[in-house]
Amino acid sequence: MNIFSGKRRGSSLSNHQKELDRHFAWFEKKLPSGPSKFVGWVRKPSSFYVRIPLALLLVAGGCFSFLPVLGLWMLPLGLLLFAQDVPPLQKPLAQGLGWIERKWLERQRVKFERERAKSAQ
């Protein structure tokens, strides 16, 4: 297994890689068409030599989020890009994104129920 390929020869994608792909697909749907196409292109295996430096720059930018223009949003995006090619990062990132997604959906559900209760009064 190559650490940068994320695949064993002759095997399919891991569950964690599939989960990361699902999160990337959701992220791409939320973006306008131009940035969405760029993210889709960066995720292609042929974009490896662009993806790794971009991921490292995003992680570094996230670490310096106290500076103007740079932000904390850069850190998870960089790690997500980096996890495309480093299988040991896939499981923790997939678990972390799953946890964030569950909390977000729970928060949205509670918010919806509060609004519904207010409108019923």
Side-chain angles (χ1 to χ4, degrees), residues 15-73:
N15 288 338
H16 305 300
Q17 181 65 42
K18 289 177 186 175
E19 185 70 14
L20 290 175
D21 286 343
R22 188 179 67 80
H23 287 290
F24 260 120
W26 176 86
F27 181 64
E28 284 181 51
K29 279 194 268 183
K30 298 291 182 183
L31 290 172
S33 67
S36 177
K37 287 179 185 177
F38 177 73
V39 169
W41 175 78
V42 166
R43 291 185 57 218
K44 289 182 180 179
S46 61
S47 301
F48 172 79
Y49 293 108
V50 174
R51 184 171 49 249
I52 295 299
L54 180 61
L56 292 173
L57 285 173
L58 285 167
V59 169
C63 291
F64 293 106
S65 63
F66 57 88
L67 296 172
V69 180
L70 304 175
L72 195 56
W73 61 271

Side-chain angles (χ1 to χ4, degrees), residues 84-105:
Q84 287 284 117
D85 300 301
V86 183
L89 283 177
Q90 292 174 359
K91 182 178 179 180
L93 276 174
Q95 290 174 337
L97 288 171
W99 180 82
I100 290 169
E101 182 181 26
R102 285 189 303 276
K103 292 297 180 182
W104 178 262
L105 292 173

